[in-house]
Amino acid sequence: MKPGTLKSRRGSAGDEEEAYIGFPVTPRRDYCWSSWLLKAVVALVILMAGVLIGLSASANVSRYYYYSSIGSSSLLLSSSSLQAAGGGGTGTGSSSGNKNNTNGDVFASSSTTSSGRSRSSNNKRKKMTEDEAPPPPVLLDFRGFVDPGPPWGHSMSDPELFWRASMAPRMEEYPFQRVPKVAFLFLTRGPLPFAPLWERFFHGHEGLYSVYVHALPGYAGRYRPSSPFHGRQIPSGEVSWGSITLVDAEKRLLANALLDWSNQRFVLVSESCVPVFNFRMVYEYLVNSAMSYVESYNIDVPQCAGRYNPRMAPEVLEEHWRKGSEWFEMSRDLAVDVVADQRYYALFRRHCTPSCYPDEHYIPTFLHLRHGARNANRTVTWVDWSRGGPHPARFGKAATTADLMAAIRSNGTLCLYNGKPTTVCYLFARKFAPSALPTLLNLSTTLLDF
């Protein structure tokens, strides 16, 4: 063979291994080196992927236990805070409540001071994870549940509000000190011309009443911070006279008032309503009453029985049909049922057209069907219909006299109160013009006694 040439591989098996001695055979060695490098790179990639997955899983586990510990600490602190408040919302409690509060304070103190290093570590961990992790769930605060605060503080829709307000406890006893309150529901278009009179009426009786105002959307009443009307305007809706929207407004007022568990009696009044007795008299009369006061009757006249629509059958029959004054007073149990009702409300929405006036028929008919035995079938708001027409008499400055107010307070009418006859049948009166305010303020310190 000539130097510098390779022998053909087509020979025998032994010839395949023969090569020119002066030059090494390098291609096979390059191939082996490339294969080893590729395997090393693949192994390194797999190793790094495993490390990343492990770190991610570890972070998730740490985050879970971290927020679990945060939630547990919040729950313990909430419990100790409530025990310190006397069981929720009133600021007073029994001796056993104070004992529990002491134990809770000791536990909270020991848990927060046992290890400064753990606290520092938790702070660092929170800074590392708060941007990437969702916030911990908000725990239900008991005090906020029983006393929701100002009515404008929620953004619930009507269905959400009615659902929330229709909740009722099964337990008869309350786990917190509760003083029954009377909720005054003001249904108004805008300003309250008799606000100074009502402010004098409420003065000195804080904690025994609540105020809720439903005005037209866009209206913002301005009251001084010390006024009982300050911050008491609820989220409202459009209202038109003679339509179902009046019932919507009434239910909206009831529902907002029901969020406060201390409200036990509910009075609907208008901007032209005034009290004819002092607060103590009104409070005792309503809180101690075994009945509700919703006017409900059925007479064969076009303004009553003539408005019944046979399409309401069989849920509402003609003998069930009732009419009454819009200005009611009712207990908490009845108010919950009115807010929760969907069955009869839907019938009135479809079949009680504007000439039917749902605000005069829906609640009287509904309570007759559901709570007839617990309703006195009369109103506690006096009004004068003797002049006829679609609206009652209106009393201005000249007509508002001491004799008129005395006649309203005791007009010779007998009614039943807790099964016994009484001459005190009306606690409020309407319909008064704004010009009557000075006279009523003068009478409040003499005849009306507030």
Short mmCIF file of all heavy atoms in Angstrom, two decimals, residues 223-271:
data_model
loop_
_atom_site.label_atom_id
_atom_site.label_comp_id
_atom_site.label_asym_id
_atom_site.label_seq_id
_atom_site.Cartn_x
_atom_site.Cartn_y
_atom_site.Cartn_z
N TYR A 223 -77.47 67.61 57.34
CA TYR A 223 -77.81 67.74 58.75
C TYR A 223 -76.52 67.87 59.56
O TYR A 223 -75.49 67.32 59.19
CB TYR A 223 -78.61 66.53 59.24
CG TYR A 223 -79.86 66.26 58.41
CD1 TYR A 223 -79.84 65.31 57.39
CD2 TYR A 223 -81.04 66.96 58.64
CE1 TYR A 223 -80.97 65.06 56.63
CE2 TYR A 223 -82.17 66.72 57.88
CZ TYR A 223 -82.14 65.77 56.87
OH TYR A 223 -83.25 65.54 56.11
N ARG A 224 -76.60 68.56 60.65
CA ARG A 224 -75.41 68.70 61.50
C ARG A 224 -75.07 67.34 62.10
O ARG A 224 -75.95 66.49 62.28
CB ARG A 224 -75.64 69.75 62.59
CG ARG A 224 -76.76 69.40 63.56
CD ARG A 224 -76.95 70.52 64.59
NE ARG A 224 -77.93 70.16 65.61
CZ ARG A 224 -79.22 70.33 65.48
NH1 ARG A 224 -79.69 70.89 64.36
NH2 ARG A 224 -80.05 69.98 66.45
N PRO A 225 -73.81 67.11 62.42
CA PRO A 225 -73.39 65.78 62.92
C PRO A 225 -74.15 65.31 64.14
O PRO A 225 -74.30 64.09 64.34
CB PRO A 225 -71.89 65.99 63.24
CG PRO A 225 -71.47 67.10 62.33
CD PRO A 225 -72.66 68.02 62.23
N SER A 226 -74.64 66.21 64.97
CA SER A 226 -75.36 65.79 66.18
C SER A 226 -76.82 65.42 65.91
O SER A 226 -77.51 64.93 66.80
CB SER A 226 -75.31 66.91 67.23
OG SER A 226 -75.92 68.10 66.72
N SER A 227 -77.30 65.66 64.69
CA SER A 227 -78.70 65.38 64.36
C SER A 227 -78.92 63.87 64.21
O SER A 227 -78.08 63.15 63.68
CB SER A 227 -79.09 66.07 63.05
OG SER A 227 -80.37 65.66 62.62
N PRO A 228 -80.07 63.35 64.68
CA PRO A 228 -80.38 61.93 64.48
C PRO A 228 -80.58 61.56 63.02
O PRO A 228 -80.61 60.37 62.69
CB PRO A 228 -81.67 61.73 65.29
CG PRO A 228 -82.28 63.09 65.40
CD PRO A 228 -81.13 64.05 65.44
N PHE A 229 -80.68 62.55 62.13
CA PHE A 229 -80.84 62.28 60.70
C PHE A 229 -79.51 62.26 59.96
O PHE A 229 -79.47 61.89 58.79
CB PHE A 229 -81.75 63.33 60.06
CG PHE A 229 -83.16 63.33 60.59
CD1 PHE A 229 -83.55 64.23 61.57
CD2 PHE A 229 -84.08 62.41 60.13
CE1 PHE A 229 -84.83 64.23 62.07
CE2 PHE A 229 -85.38 62.39 60.62
CZ PHE A 229 -85.76 63.30 61.59
N HIS A 230 -78.44 62.64 60.63
CA HIS A 230 -77.13 62.70 59.99
C HIS A 230 -76.64 61.29 59.64
O HIS A 230 -76.54 60.42 60.50
CB HIS A 230 -76.12 63.38 60.91
CG HIS A 230 -74.73 63.43 60.34
ND1 HIS A 230 -74.39 64.26 59.28
CD2 HIS A 230 -73.61 62.73 60.65
CE1 HIS A 230 -73.12 64.09 58.99
NE2 HIS A 230 -72.62 63.17 59.80
N GLY A 231 -76.34 61.06 58.36
CA GLY A 231 -75.83 59.77 57.92
C GLY A 231 -76.84 58.65 57.92
O GLY A 231 -76.47 57.48 57.86
N ARG A 232 -78.13 58.95 57.95
CA ARG A 232 -79.16 57.90 58.04
C ARG A 232 -79.94 57.72 56.75
O ARG A 232 -80.98 57.06 56.73
CB ARG A 232 -80.14 58.22 59.18
CG ARG A 232 -79.49 58.46 60.52
CD ARG A 232 -78.57 57.34 60.93
NE ARG A 232 -79.27 56.06 61.05
CZ ARG A 232 -78.68 54.93 61.41
NH1 ARG A 232 -77.38 54.90 61.65
NH2 ARG A 232 -79.38 53.81 61.50
N GLN A 233 -79.47 58.30 55.66
CA GLN A 233 -80.15 58.13 54.37
C GLN A 233 -79.70 56.84 53.73
O GLN A 233 -78.50 56.58 53.58
CB GLN A 233 -79.84 59.32 53.46
CG GLN A 233 -80.68 59.37 52.20
CD GLN A 233 -80.58 60.73 51.52
OE1 GLN A 233 -80.58 61.77 52.18
NE2 GLN A 233 -80.45 60.72 50.20
N ILE A 234 -80.64 55.98 53.33
CA ILE A 234 -80.32 54.66 52.79
C ILE A 234 -80.19 54.73 51.27
O ILE A 234 -80.68 55.68 50.64
CB ILE A 234 -81.42 53.64 53.17
CG1 ILE A 234 -82.72 53.94 52.41
CG2 ILE A 234 -81.65 53.61 54.67
CD1 ILE A 234 -83.79 52.87 52.55
N PRO A 235 -79.53 53.75 50.64
CA PRO A 235 -79.52 53.68 49.17
C PRO A 235 -80.96 53.55 48.66
O PRO A 235 -81.69 52.66 49.08
CB PRO A 235 -78.70 52.42 48.88
CG PRO A 235 -77.86 52.22 50.09
CD PRO A 235 -78.69 52.70 51.24
N SER A 236 -81.35 54.44 47.79
CA SER A 236 -82.76 54.53 47.40
C SER A 236 -82.96 54.16 45.94
O SER A 236 -82.02 53.87 45.21
CB SER A 236 -83.29 55.93 47.68
OG SER A 236 -82.59 56.88 46.88
N GLY A 237 -84.23 54.20 45.52
CA GLY A 237 -84.62 53.96 44.13
C GLY A 237 -85.70 54.92 43.71
O GLY A 237 -86.27 55.65 44.55
N GLU A 238 -86.01 54.94 42.44
CA GLU A 238 -87.06 55.82 41.93
C GLU A 238 -88.42 55.42 42.51
O GLU A 238 -88.73 54.23 42.65
CB GLU A 238 -87.11 55.76 40.40
CG GLU A 238 -85.88 56.34 39.72
CD GLU A 238 -85.78 57.86 39.87
OE1 GLU A 238 -86.83 58.48 40.21
OE2 GLU A 238 -84.69 58.40 39.65
N VAL A 239 -89.23 56.42 42.84
CA VAL A 239 -90.55 56.19 43.42
C VAL A 239 -91.55 57.08 42.70
O VAL A 239 -91.31 58.28 42.51
CB VAL A 239 -90.56 56.51 44.93
CG1 VAL A 239 -91.97 56.34 45.48
CG2 VAL A 239 -89.59 55.61 45.67
N SER A 240 -92.66 56.47 42.29
CA SER A 240 -93.75 57.24 41.67
C SER A 240 -95.05 56.90 42.38
O SER A 240 -95.30 55.75 42.73
CB SER A 240 -93.85 56.93 40.17
OG SER A 240 -94.06 55.56 39.95
N TRP A 241 -95.87 57.90 42.60
CA TRP A 241 -97.10 57.74 43.35
C TRP A 241 -98.05 56.77 42.66
O TRP A 241 -98.23 56.82 41.45
CB TRP A 241 -97.77 59.11 43.53
CG TRP A 241 -99.02 59.05 44.35
CD1 TRP A 241 -99.12 58.86 45.69
CD2 TRP A 241 -100.36 59.17 43.88
NE1 TRP A 241 -100.43 58.86 46.10
CE2 TRP A 241 -101.22 59.05 45.00
CE3 TRP A 241 -100.93 59.37 42.61
CZ2 TRP A 241 -102.60 59.13 44.90
CZ3 TRP A 241 -102.31 59.44 42.51
CH2 TRP A 241 -103.14 59.32 43.64
N GLY A 242 -98.65 55.88 43.45
CA GLY A 242 -99.64 54.94 42.93
C GLY A 242 -99.07 53.72 42.26
O GLY A 242 -99.83 52.93 41.69
N SER A 243 -97.77 53.50 42.31
CA SER A 243 -97.16 52.34 41.64
C SER A 243 -96.51 51.42 42.66
O SER A 243 -96.40 51.73 43.86
CB SER A 243 -96.11 52.81 40.62
OG SER A 243 -94.96 53.28 41.28
N ILE A 244 -96.05 50.28 42.18
CA ILE A 244 -95.41 49.28 43.03
C ILE A 244 -94.09 49.81 43.59
O ILE A 244 -93.55 49.25 44.56
CB ILE A 244 -95.19 47.97 42.24
CG1 ILE A 244 -94.89 46.79 43.18
CG2 ILE A 244 -94.10 48.15 41.21
CD1 ILE A 244 -96.02 46.36 44.04
N THR A 245 -93.54 50.87 43.00
CA THR A 245 -92.28 51.40 43.48
C THR A 245 -92.39 51.95 44.91
O THR A 245 -91.40 52.01 45.63
CB THR A 245 -91.76 52.52 42.56
OG1 THR A 245 -92.76 53.55 42.45
CG2 THR A 245 -91.45 51.96 41.17
N LEU A 246 -93.60 52.34 45.32
CA LEU A 246 -93.80 52.75 46.71
C LEU A 246 -93.62 51.56 47.66
O LEU A 246 -93.04 51.70 48.73
CB LEU A 246 -95.20 53.36 46.89
CG LEU A 246 -95.32 54.86 46.63
CD1 LEU A 246 -96.79 55.28 46.62
CD2 LEU A 246 -94.56 55.65 47.67
N VAL A 247 -94.12 50.40 47.25
CA VAL A 247 -93.91 49.19 48.05
C VAL A 247 -92.43 48.84 48.08
O VAL A 247 -91.90 48.43 49.13
CB VAL A 247 -94.74 48.02 47.47
CG1 VAL A 247 -94.43 46.72 48.22
CG2 VAL A 247 -96.23 48.32 47.56
N ASP A 248 -91.74 49.00 46.96
CA ASP A 248 -90.30 48.74 46.93
C ASP A 248 -89.57 49.62 47.94
O ASP A 248 -88.66 49.16 48.64
CB ASP A 248 -89.74 49.00 45.53
CG ASP A 248 -90.30 48.04 44.49
OD1 ASP A 248 -90.74 46.93 44.88
OD2 ASP A 248 -90.32 48.39 43.29
N ALA A 249 -89.96 50.89 48.01
CA ALA A 249 -89.32 51.80 48.96
C ALA A 249 -89.60 51.40 50.39
O ALA A 249 -88.72 51.47 51.27
CB ALA A 249 -89.78 53.23 48.69
N GLU A 250 -90.84 50.99 50.66
CA GLU A 250 -91.18 50.54 52.02
C GLU A 250 -90.37 49.31 52.41
O GLU A 250 -89.85 49.23 53.54
CB GLU A 250 -92.68 50.24 52.08
CG GLU A 250 -93.57 51.46 51.91
CD GLU A 250 -95.03 51.09 51.72
OE1 GLU A 250 -95.36 49.88 51.80
OE2 GLU A 250 -95.84 52.01 51.46
N LYS A 251 -90.26 48.35 51.50
CA LYS A 251 -89.48 47.15 51.80
C LYS A 251 -88.00 47.48 51.95
O LYS A 251 -87.29 46.85 52.76
CB LYS A 251 -89.69 46.10 50.70
CG LYS A 251 -91.12 45.58 50.61
CD LYS A 251 -91.29 44.54 49.54
CE LYS A 251 -90.62 43.24 49.91
NZ LYS A 251 -90.97 42.13 48.97
N ARG A 252 -87.53 48.46 51.18
CA ARG A 252 -86.13 48.87 51.29
C ARG A 252 -85.86 49.47 52.67
O ARG A 252 -84.81 49.20 53.28
CB ARG A 252 -85.82 49.88 50.18
CG ARG A 252 -84.40 49.89 49.69
CD ARG A 252 -84.27 50.79 48.47
NE ARG A 252 -84.81 50.16 47.28
CZ ARG A 252 -85.73 50.71 46.49
NH1 ARG A 252 -86.21 51.91 46.76
NH2 ARG A 252 -86.17 50.07 45.42
N LEU A 253 -86.77 50.28 53.16
CA LEU A 253 -86.62 50.85 54.49
C LEU A 253 -86.66 49.76 55.56
O LEU A 253 -85.84 49.74 56.49
CB LEU A 253 -87.73 51.88 54.74
CG LEU A 253 -87.53 53.26 54.11
CD1 LEU A 253 -88.85 54.04 54.10
CD2 LEU A 253 -86.47 54.05 54.86
N LEU A 254 -87.62 48.86 55.46
CA LEU A 254 -87.72 47.77 56.43
C LEU A 254 -86.46 46.92 56.43
O LEU A 254 -85.93 46.56 57.49
CB LEU A 254 -88.94 46.89 56.12
CG LEU A 254 -90.31 47.44 56.49
CD1 LEU A 254 -91.41 46.54 55.93
CD2 LEU A 254 -90.45 47.56 58.01
N ALA A 255 -85.95 46.60 55.24
CA ALA A 255 -84.79 45.72 55.14
C ALA A 255 -83.55 46.36 55.77
O ALA A 255 -82.79 45.71 56.49
CB ALA A 255 -84.53 45.36 53.68
N ASN A 256 -83.34 47.64 55.50
CA ASN A 256 -82.19 48.32 56.10
C ASN A 256 -82.31 48.37 57.62
O ASN A 256 -81.32 48.21 58.33
CB ASN A 256 -82.06 49.73 55.53
CG ASN A 256 -81.32 49.76 54.21
OD1 ASN A 256 -80.09 49.77 54.17
ND2 ASN A 256 -82.07 49.76 53.11
N ALA A 257 -83.51 48.59 58.11
CA ALA A 257 -83.71 48.62 59.56
C ALA A 257 -83.55 47.24 60.18
O ALA A 257 -83.09 47.11 61.32
CB ALA A 257 -85.09 49.20 59.88
N LEU A 258 -83.90 46.19 59.46
CA LEU A 258 -83.78 44.83 59.99
C LEU A 258 -82.33 44.40 60.16
O LEU A 258 -82.04 43.45 60.89
CB LEU A 258 -84.51 43.84 59.08
CG LEU A 258 -86.03 43.83 59.18
CD1 LEU A 258 -86.64 43.02 58.04
CD2 LEU A 258 -86.49 43.28 60.52
N LEU A 259 -81.40 45.08 59.48
CA LEU A 259 -79.99 44.72 59.63
C LEU A 259 -79.50 44.98 61.05
O LEU A 259 -78.53 44.36 61.49
CB LEU A 259 -79.14 45.51 58.64
CG LEU A 259 -79.40 45.25 57.15
CD1 LEU A 259 -78.46 46.10 56.30
CD2 LEU A 259 -79.24 43.78 56.81
N ASP A 260 -80.16 45.88 61.76
CA ASP A 260 -79.83 46.14 63.16
C ASP A 260 -80.73 45.25 64.02
O ASP A 260 -81.94 45.43 64.08
CB ASP A 260 -80.06 47.62 63.49
CG ASP A 260 -79.61 47.98 64.90
OD1 ASP A 260 -79.43 47.07 65.73
OD2 ASP A 260 -79.43 49.18 65.17
N TRP A 261 -80.10 44.29 64.71
CA TRP A 261 -80.87 43.30 65.45
C TRP A 261 -81.57 43.87 66.67
O TRP A 261 -82.46 43.22 67.25
CB TRP A 261 -79.96 42.15 65.88
CG TRP A 261 -79.49 41.34 64.73
CD1 TRP A 261 -78.38 41.53 63.99
CD2 TRP A 261 -80.16 40.20 64.16
NE1 TRP A 261 -78.29 40.59 62.98
CE2 TRP A 261 -79.36 39.76 63.07
CE3 TRP A 261 -81.32 39.51 64.46
CZ2 TRP A 261 -79.71 38.67 62.29
CZ3 TRP A 261 -81.67 38.42 63.68
CH2 TRP A 261 -80.88 38.01 62.61
N SER A 262 -81.22 45.09 67.08
CA SER A 262 -81.90 45.70 68.22
C SER A 262 -83.21 46.35 67.84
O SER A 262 -84.03 46.63 68.71
CB SER A 262 -80.97 46.74 68.88
OG SER A 262 -79.85 46.12 69.45
N ASN A 263 -83.44 46.61 66.57
CA ASN A 263 -84.72 47.19 66.13
C ASN A 263 -85.82 46.15 66.24
O ASN A 263 -85.76 45.10 65.61
CB ASN A 263 -84.60 47.68 64.68
CG ASN A 263 -83.74 48.91 64.55
OD1 ASN A 263 -83.65 49.72 65.47
ND2 ASN A 263 -83.08 49.06 63.40
N GLN A 264 -86.83 46.47 67.05
CA GLN A 264 -87.92 45.53 67.29
C GLN A 264 -89.28 46.03 66.81
O GLN A 264 -90.19 45.23 66.59
CB GLN A 264 -88.01 45.20 68.79
CG GLN A 264 -86.82 44.44 69.31
CD GLN A 264 -86.65 43.09 68.63
OE1 GLN A 264 -87.55 42.24 68.66
NE2 GLN A 264 -85.51 42.87 68.00
N ARG A 265 -89.42 47.33 66.66
CA ARG A 265 -90.67 47.90 66.14
C ARG A 265 -90.32 48.85 65.01
O ARG A 265 -89.28 49.51 65.02
CB ARG A 265 -91.44 48.65 67.23
CG ARG A 265 -91.70 47.86 68.49
CD ARG A 265 -92.63 46.68 68.30
NE ARG A 265 -93.96 47.05 67.85
CZ ARG A 265 -95.03 46.26 67.99
NH1 ARG A 265 -94.92 45.08 68.60
NH2 ARG A 265 -96.20 46.65 67.53
N PHE A 266 -91.23 48.93 64.01
CA PHE A 266 -90.93 49.66 62.78
C PHE A 266 -92.11 50.55 62.42
O PHE A 266 -93.22 50.05 62.20
CB PHE A 266 -90.63 48.67 61.65
CG PHE A 266 -89.51 47.72 61.97
CD1 PHE A 266 -89.73 46.60 62.75
CD2 PHE A 266 -88.22 47.96 61.50
CE1 PHE A 266 -88.70 45.72 63.06
CE2 PHE A 266 -87.18 47.10 61.80
CZ PHE A 266 -87.41 45.98 62.59
N VAL A 267 -91.85 51.87 62.35
CA VAL A 267 -92.90 52.86 62.09
C VAL A 267 -92.59 53.55 60.77
O VAL A 267 -91.50 54.10 60.59
CB VAL A 267 -92.97 53.91 63.21
CG1 VAL A 267 -94.13 54.87 62.95
CG2 VAL A 267 -93.13 53.24 64.57
N LEU A 268 -93.54 53.55 59.85
CA LEU A 268 -93.39 54.26 58.59
C LEU A 268 -94.06 55.62 58.70
O LEU A 268 -95.26 55.70 59.02
CB LEU A 268 -94.00 53.46 57.44
CG LEU A 268 -93.87 54.10 56.05
CD1 LEU A 268 -92.41 54.09 55.60
CD2 LEU A 268 -94.75 53.37 55.03
N VAL A 269 -93.29 56.69 58.44
CA VAL A 269 -93.81 58.04 58.49
C VAL A 269 -93.36 58.79 57.24
O VAL A 269 -92.44 58.36 56.54
CB VAL A 269 -93.35 58.79 59.76
CG1 VAL A 269 -93.98 58.19 61.01
CG2 VAL A 269 -91.83 58.77 59.88
N SER A 270 -94.00 59.93 56.99
CA SER A 270 -93.65 60.74 55.83
C SER A 270 -93.07 62.07 56.29
O SER A 270 -93.00 62.36 57.50
CB SER A 270 -94.88 60.99 54.95
OG SER A 270 -95.78 61.87 55.61
N GLU A 271 -92.68 62.91 55.33
CA GLU A 271 -92.13 64.22 55.68
C GLU A 271 -93.20 65.15 56.26
O GLU A 271 -92.87 66.20 56.83
CB GLU A 271 -91.48 64.88 54.46
CG GLU A 271 -92.46 65.32 53.39
CD GLU A 271 -92.68 64.26 52.33
OE1 GLU A 271 -92.60 63.07 52.66
OE2 GLU A 271 -92.94 64.64 51.17
#
